[in-house]
Amino acid sequence: MTTTLTPPDPDQAEKAPQRTRRPRSARAGGQMHAGPIAYVVLALFTIGSLFPLVWTAIAASRDNNRLAQTPPPFWFGANLFDNLELAWTDANLGEAFLNTTIVAGISAATIVFLSTIAGFAFAKLRFKGRGALMLIVIGTMMVPPQLSVIPLYMMVAKLDWTDQLQAVIFPSLVSAFGVFFMRQYLIQALPDEIIEAARMDGASSWRVVWHVVFPAARPAMAVLGMLMFVQTWNDFLWPFLVLTQTGNPTVQVAVAGLGRGYTPDQSLIMAGALLGTLPLLLVFAIFGKQIVGGIMQGAVKG
Protein backbone atom coordinates (compact mmCIF):
# COMPACT_ATOMS: atom_id res chain seq x y z
CA MET A 1 0.00 0.00 0.00
CA THR A 2 1.50 3.30 -1.08
CA THR A 3 0.62 6.74 0.22
CA THR A 4 0.91 9.88 -1.81
CA LEU A 5 1.75 13.22 -0.28
CA THR A 6 -0.16 16.17 -1.64
CA PRO A 7 1.58 19.53 -1.56
CA PRO A 8 -0.15 22.28 0.44
CA ASP A 9 -2.51 24.55 -1.40
CA PRO A 10 -0.88 28.01 -1.76
CA ASP A 11 -4.29 29.69 -1.48
CA GLN A 12 -5.00 28.04 1.87
CA ALA A 13 -1.51 28.89 3.08
CA GLU A 14 -2.14 32.56 2.40
CA LYS A 15 -5.47 32.41 4.25
CA ALA A 16 -3.96 30.72 7.32
CA PRO A 17 -3.62 33.10 10.27
CA GLN A 18 -0.10 34.22 10.91
CA ARG A 19 1.25 34.52 14.43
CA THR A 20 2.02 38.01 15.57
CA ARG A 21 5.24 38.20 17.49
CA ARG A 22 4.87 40.23 20.65
CA PRO A 23 7.63 42.58 21.65
CA ARG A 24 10.07 41.23 24.17
CA SER A 25 9.01 43.76 26.81
CA ALA A 26 5.38 42.51 26.64
CA ARG A 27 6.21 38.83 27.21
CA ALA A 28 5.75 37.19 30.56
CA GLY A 29 8.81 37.81 32.68
CA GLY A 30 10.27 40.34 30.26
CA GLN A 31 11.68 43.65 31.36
CA MET A 32 10.15 46.91 30.27
CA HIS A 33 12.64 49.53 29.15
CA ALA A 34 12.04 53.20 29.86
CA GLY A 35 12.18 55.77 27.11
CA PRO A 36 14.26 58.94 27.01
CA ILE A 37 11.44 61.07 28.46
CA ALA A 38 11.32 58.87 31.57
CA TYR A 39 15.06 59.30 32.10
CA VAL A 40 14.77 63.08 31.74
CA VAL A 41 11.94 63.23 34.28
CA LEU A 42 13.83 61.01 36.73
CA ALA A 43 16.96 63.13 36.32
CA LEU A 44 15.03 66.33 37.06
CA PHE A 45 13.44 64.83 40.17
CA THR A 46 16.81 63.54 41.37
CA ILE A 47 18.47 66.93 40.91
CA GLY A 48 15.60 68.69 42.69
CA SER A 49 15.77 66.23 45.60
CA LEU A 50 19.55 66.45 46.03
CA PHE A 51 19.83 70.23 45.61
CA PRO A 52 19.03 71.17 49.26
CA LEU A 53 21.63 68.73 50.56
CA VAL A 54 24.26 69.85 48.05
CA TRP A 55 23.57 73.52 48.81
CA THR A 56 23.91 72.83 52.55
CA ALA A 57 27.33 71.28 51.94
CA ILE A 58 28.37 74.22 49.71
CA ALA A 59 27.27 76.80 52.31
CA ALA A 60 29.07 74.86 55.05
CA SER A 61 32.30 75.05 53.06
CA ARG A 62 32.24 78.87 52.74
CA ASP A 63 32.57 81.71 55.20
CA ASN A 64 29.79 84.03 56.34
CA ASN A 65 30.96 86.98 54.23
CA ARG A 66 30.85 84.97 51.01
CA LEU A 67 27.34 83.71 51.73
CA ALA A 68 26.11 87.30 52.13
CA GLN A 69 27.28 88.26 48.64
CA THR A 70 25.21 88.23 45.47
CA PRO A 71 25.17 85.92 43.59
CA PRO A 72 25.65 83.19 46.21
CA PRO A 73 28.36 80.55 45.68
CA PHE A 74 27.47 77.47 43.66
CA TRP A 75 30.62 75.44 44.29
CA PHE A 76 32.51 74.16 47.30
CA GLY A 77 35.00 76.25 49.23
CA ALA A 78 37.97 75.39 51.42
CA ASN A 79 36.39 75.79 54.88
CA LEU A 80 34.25 72.67 55.05
CA PHE A 81 36.24 70.61 57.56
CA ASP A 82 37.09 73.65 59.69
CA ASN A 83 33.42 74.60 59.96
CA LEU A 84 32.41 71.00 60.71
CA GLU A 85 34.96 70.77 63.50
CA LEU A 86 33.90 74.12 64.95
CA ALA A 87 30.21 73.16 64.83
CA TRP A 88 30.94 69.81 66.48
CA THR A 89 32.73 71.36 69.43
CA ASP A 90 30.61 74.52 69.76
CA ALA A 91 27.27 72.68 69.85
CA ASN A 92 28.54 69.62 71.77
CA LEU A 93 27.15 67.41 69.03
CA GLY A 94 28.74 64.27 70.43
CA GLU A 95 26.36 64.24 73.41
CA ALA A 96 23.51 65.43 71.20
CA PHE A 97 24.01 62.50 68.80
CA LEU A 98 23.94 60.04 71.69
CA ASN A 99 20.78 61.57 73.18
CA THR A 100 19.00 61.64 69.83
CA THR A 101 19.94 58.04 69.06
CA ILE A 102 18.50 56.95 72.42
CA VAL A 103 15.28 58.92 71.95
CA ALA A 104 14.75 57.94 68.30
CA GLY A 105 15.68 54.29 68.87
CA ILE A 106 13.38 53.78 71.87
CA SER A 107 10.50 55.66 70.22
CA ALA A 108 10.79 53.82 66.90
CA ALA A 109 11.04 50.37 68.51
CA THR A 110 8.09 50.99 70.84
CA ILE A 111 5.91 52.45 68.10
CA VAL A 112 6.60 49.48 65.81
CA PHE A 113 5.85 46.94 68.55
CA LEU A 114 2.64 48.57 69.81
CA SER A 115 1.40 49.54 66.34
CA THR A 116 1.82 45.97 65.05
CA ILE A 117 -0.18 44.53 67.94
CA ALA A 118 -2.90 47.18 67.67
CA GLY A 119 -2.98 46.92 63.88
CA PHE A 120 -3.45 43.14 64.13
CA ALA A 121 -6.30 43.61 66.61
CA PHE A 122 -8.10 46.11 64.37
CA ALA A 123 -7.46 44.06 61.22
CA LYS A 124 -8.21 40.48 62.27
CA LEU A 125 -9.92 40.37 65.66
CA ARG A 126 -13.66 40.81 66.16
CA PHE A 127 -14.77 42.78 69.21
CA LYS A 128 -17.42 45.33 70.10
CA GLY A 129 -16.66 48.91 69.23
CA ARG A 130 -13.84 48.05 66.84
CA GLY A 131 -15.05 50.47 64.17
CA ALA A 132 -15.66 53.29 66.65
CA LEU A 133 -12.24 52.87 68.24
CA MET A 134 -10.59 52.90 64.82
CA LEU A 135 -12.39 56.11 63.95
CA ILE A 136 -11.14 57.66 67.19
CA VAL A 137 -7.57 56.63 66.34
CA ILE A 138 -7.88 58.13 62.86
CA GLY A 139 -9.51 61.24 64.33
CA THR A 140 -6.48 61.91 66.53
CA MET A 141 -4.43 62.24 63.33
CA MET A 142 -6.57 65.24 62.38
CA VAL A 143 -5.69 67.18 65.55
CA PRO A 144 -2.71 69.53 65.06
CA PRO A 145 0.16 68.50 67.35
CA GLN A 146 0.63 72.13 68.43
CA LEU A 147 -2.62 71.92 70.40
CA SER A 148 -1.17 69.34 72.77
CA VAL A 149 1.98 71.33 73.58
CA ILE A 150 0.55 73.25 76.58
CA PRO A 151 -1.06 70.28 78.43
CA LEU A 152 2.00 68.13 77.73
CA TYR A 153 4.31 70.80 79.11
CA MET A 154 2.17 71.14 82.22
CA MET A 155 2.40 67.37 82.80
CA VAL A 156 6.17 67.37 82.26
CA ALA A 157 6.57 70.28 84.69
CA LYS A 158 4.51 68.50 87.39
CA LEU A 159 6.57 65.34 86.96
CA ASP A 160 9.79 67.39 87.18
CA TRP A 161 11.04 65.97 83.86
CA THR A 162 12.21 69.28 82.42
CA ASP A 163 15.55 68.97 80.63
CA GLN A 164 15.42 65.17 80.86
CA LEU A 165 15.18 62.70 77.96
CA GLN A 166 12.04 60.97 79.26
CA ALA A 167 10.17 64.21 78.62
CA VAL A 168 10.79 63.63 74.91
CA ILE A 169 10.53 59.84 74.88
CA PHE A 170 7.18 59.23 76.62
CA PRO A 171 4.98 61.48 74.41
CA SER A 172 6.31 59.71 71.30
CA LEU A 173 5.82 56.06 72.34
CA VAL A 174 2.58 55.62 70.36
CA SER A 175 1.52 56.73 66.90
CA ALA A 176 -1.95 56.77 65.37
CA PHE A 177 -0.38 56.71 61.92
CA GLY A 178 1.54 53.55 62.88
CA VAL A 179 -1.63 51.78 64.00
CA PHE A 180 -3.46 52.73 60.81
CA PHE A 181 -0.45 51.79 58.64
CA MET A 182 -0.06 48.34 60.18
CA ARG A 183 -3.80 47.67 60.08
CA GLN A 184 -3.99 48.38 56.37
CA TYR A 185 -0.97 46.19 55.69
CA LEU A 186 -2.13 43.21 57.77
CA ILE A 187 -5.58 43.19 56.19
CA GLN A 188 -3.98 42.15 52.88
CA ALA A 189 -0.75 40.44 53.92
CA LEU A 190 -2.10 38.13 56.65
CA PRO A 191 -4.73 35.61 55.49
CA ASP A 192 -7.37 34.55 58.01
CA GLU A 193 -6.66 30.88 57.21
CA ILE A 194 -3.17 31.09 58.72
CA ILE A 195 -4.52 32.52 61.98
CA GLU A 196 -7.23 29.85 62.12
CA ALA A 197 -4.67 27.10 61.49
CA ALA A 198 -2.47 28.41 64.30
CA ARG A 199 -5.41 28.49 66.72
CA MET A 200 -6.42 24.95 65.74
CA ASP A 201 -2.89 23.85 66.64
CA GLY A 202 -3.44 25.23 70.13
CA ALA A 203 -1.50 28.49 69.82
CA SER A 204 -2.40 31.21 72.27
CA SER A 205 -3.01 34.81 71.22
CA TRP A 206 0.52 35.93 72.12
CA ARG A 207 2.01 32.95 70.30
CA VAL A 208 -0.01 33.82 67.22
CA VAL A 209 1.29 37.38 67.41
CA TRP A 210 4.89 36.30 67.90
CA HIS A 211 5.09 33.43 65.39
CA VAL A 212 2.53 34.48 62.76
CA VAL A 213 1.84 38.22 62.87
CA PHE A 214 5.39 39.49 63.36
CA PRO A 215 6.94 37.41 60.52
CA ALA A 216 4.14 38.41 58.13
CA ALA A 217 4.40 42.09 59.11
CA ARG A 218 8.22 42.27 58.99
CA PRO A 219 8.42 44.36 55.76
CA ALA A 220 5.90 46.92 57.03
CA MET A 221 7.57 46.97 60.45
CA ALA A 222 10.90 47.84 58.84
CA VAL A 223 9.35 50.67 56.84
CA LEU A 224 7.44 52.03 59.86
CA GLY A 225 10.55 51.84 62.03
CA MET A 226 12.55 53.78 59.46
CA LEU A 227 9.87 56.46 59.14
CA MET A 228 9.45 56.87 62.90
CA PHE A 229 13.21 56.99 63.48
CA VAL A 230 13.61 59.76 60.91
CA GLN A 231 10.59 61.66 62.27
CA THR A 232 11.85 61.52 65.85
CA TRP A 233 15.38 62.44 64.79
CA ASN A 234 14.13 65.54 62.97
CA ASP A 235 11.64 66.60 65.65
CA PHE A 236 12.37 70.12 66.84
CA LEU A 237 9.41 71.90 68.49
CA TRP A 238 8.78 69.66 71.50
CA PRO A 239 12.48 68.93 72.33
CA PHE A 240 13.22 72.64 72.01
CA LEU A 241 10.56 73.41 74.64
CA VAL A 242 11.56 70.83 77.27
CA LEU A 243 15.33 70.53 76.69
CA THR A 244 18.21 73.03 76.75
CA GLN A 245 21.44 73.31 74.77
CA THR A 246 23.53 72.92 77.94
CA GLY A 247 21.57 70.07 79.56
CA ASN A 248 20.51 67.05 77.52
CA PRO A 249 20.05 68.42 74.01
CA THR A 250 19.03 66.48 70.94
CA VAL A 251 20.67 67.20 67.59
CA GLN A 252 18.06 69.70 66.48
CA VAL A 253 18.18 71.58 69.79
CA ALA A 254 21.98 71.68 69.71
CA VAL A 255 22.06 72.93 66.10
CA ALA A 256 19.54 75.66 67.01
CA GLY A 257 22.13 77.15 69.37
CA LEU A 258 24.79 77.52 66.66
CA GLY A 259 25.74 80.84 65.13
CA ARG A 260 24.04 83.01 67.72
CA GLY A 261 24.97 86.65 67.86
CA TYR A 262 24.17 89.99 66.30
CA THR A 263 25.09 88.53 62.89
CA PRO A 264 24.36 84.79 62.80
CA ASP A 265 27.10 82.68 61.24
CA GLN A 266 25.20 80.98 58.44
CA SER A 267 28.13 78.79 57.41
CA LEU A 268 28.41 77.40 60.95
CA ILE A 269 24.66 76.73 61.07
CA MET A 270 24.84 74.91 57.74
CA ALA A 271 27.78 72.85 59.01
CA GLY A 272 25.73 71.77 62.03
CA ALA A 273 22.73 70.96 59.83
CA LEU A 274 24.97 68.86 57.57
CA LEU A 275 26.34 66.93 60.55
CA GLY A 276 22.79 66.32 61.79
CA THR A 277 21.75 64.93 58.39
CA LEU A 278 24.69 62.58 57.82
CA PRO A 279 23.51 59.84 60.28
CA LEU A 280 20.15 59.60 58.51
CA LEU A 281 21.91 59.24 55.15
CA LEU A 282 24.14 56.56 56.62
CA VAL A 283 21.19 54.61 58.05
CA PHE A 284 19.34 54.70 54.74
CA ALA A 285 22.47 53.73 52.80
CA ILE A 286 22.91 50.65 55.02
CA PHE A 287 19.31 49.52 55.41
CA GLY A 288 17.62 51.10 52.37
CA LYS A 289 18.06 48.08 50.12
CA GLN A 290 16.66 45.71 52.73
CA ILE A 291 13.68 47.99 53.36
CA VAL A 292 12.86 48.33 49.65
CA GLY A 293 13.28 44.58 49.20
CA GLY A 294 10.97 43.97 52.14
CA ILE A 295 8.31 46.20 50.63
CA MET A 296 8.46 44.30 47.35
CA GLN A 297 8.39 40.95 49.13
CA GLY A 298 5.38 42.00 51.15
CA ALA A 299 3.63 43.29 48.03
CA VAL A 300 4.14 39.95 46.25
CA LYS A 301 2.87 37.99 49.25
CA GLY A 302 -0.16 40.26 49.60
Side-chain angles (χ1 to χ4, degrees):
M1 181 176 179
T2 60
T3 58
T4 59
L5 299 175
T6 58
D9 189 0
D11 296 335
Q12 294 180 357
E14 293 179 356
K15 295 179 181 179
Q18 297 181 355
R19 295 181 179 179
T20 58
R21 189 173 183 179
R22 292 184 299 172
R24 183 175 298 178
S25 61
R27 299 177 187 175
Q31 295 182 353
M32 299 184 65
H33 299 279
I37 299 179
Y39 284 105
V40 172
V41 174
L42 290 176
L44 292 177
F45 273 99
T46 303
I47 294 173
S49 301
L50 293 178
F51 178 77
L53 180 62
V54 174
W55 166 248
T56 302
I58 292 174
S61 65
R62 298 283 183 166
D63 54 21
N64 206 33
N65 294 329
R66 180 63 184 91
L67 293 179
Q69 297 177 4
T70 304
F74 290 100
W75 193 246
F76 296 92
N79 301 327
L80 178 60
F81 295 102
D82 294 337
N83 290 334
L84 292 178
E85 182 180 1
L86 182 59
W88 180 273
T89 56
D90 190 17
N92 194 14
L93 287 179
E95 181 182 0
F97 275 129
L98 178 60
N99 292 337
T100 310
T101 303
I102 294 173
V103 172
I106 294 176
S107 298
T110 308
I111 287 174
V112 170
F113 180 76
L114 296 179
S115 297
T116 304
I117 296 177
F120 165 68
F122 282 117
K124 298 299 178 179
L125 301 183
R126 301 292 183 267
F127 54 91
K128 293 183 179 180
R130 184 183 65 167
L133 288 176
M134 193 64 218
L135 288 177
I136 293 175
V137 172
I138 297 176
T140 58
M141 298 171 59
M142 310 302 172
V143 179
Q146 291 80 6
L147 295 179
S148 62
V149 168
I150 295 178
L152 273 178
Y153 190 84
M154 294 173 63
M155 293 176 60
V156 168
K158 287 185 177 180
L159 294 173
D160 199 17
W161 284 357
T162 306
D163 205 12
Q164 299 183 25
L165 294 183
Q166 56 263 34
V168 183
I169 294 175
F170 274 89
S172 61
L173 292 181
V174 293
S175 171
F177 168 77
V179 175
F180 177 76
F181 179 80
M182 296 305 303
R183 172 187 177 271
Q184 296 301 113
Y185 181 84
L186 290 173
I187 287 177
Q188 299 295 331
L190 185 60
D192 296 336
E193 292 78 7
I194 298 179
I195 301 176
E196 295 175 0
R199 293 193 180 279
M200 291 181 63
D201 291 339
S204 60
S205 298
W206 278 109
R207 192 170 182 180
V208 170
V209 170
W210 189 261
H211 293 282
V212 178
V213 177
F214 282 167
R218 192 174 300 166
M221 292 170 67
V223 176
L224 181 61
M226 181 72 177
L227 293 177
M228 293 298 102
F229 186 89
V230 173
Q231 177 181 333
T232 308
W233 186 282
N234 292 329
D235 192 14
F236 172 74
L237 177 60
W238 179 244
F240 185 76
L241 293 176
V242 296
L243 301 178
T244 60
Q245 286 95 5
T246 58
N248 291 309
T250 59
V251 171
Q252 309 305 327
V253 177
V255 172
L258 284 172
R260 286 188 172 183
Y262 184 77
T263 303
D265 193 342
Q266 299 294 336
S267 60
L268 192 61
I269 296 174
M270 291 298 179
L274 183 61
L275 287 173
T277 307
L278 290 180
L280 298 181
L281 298 177
L282 182 61
V283 168
F284 187 79
I286 296 175
F287 300 104
K289 186 176 181 180
Q290 288 79 2
I291 292 175
V292 174
I295 295 175
M296 298 304 298
Q297 180 182 0
V300 172
K301 288 183 179 181

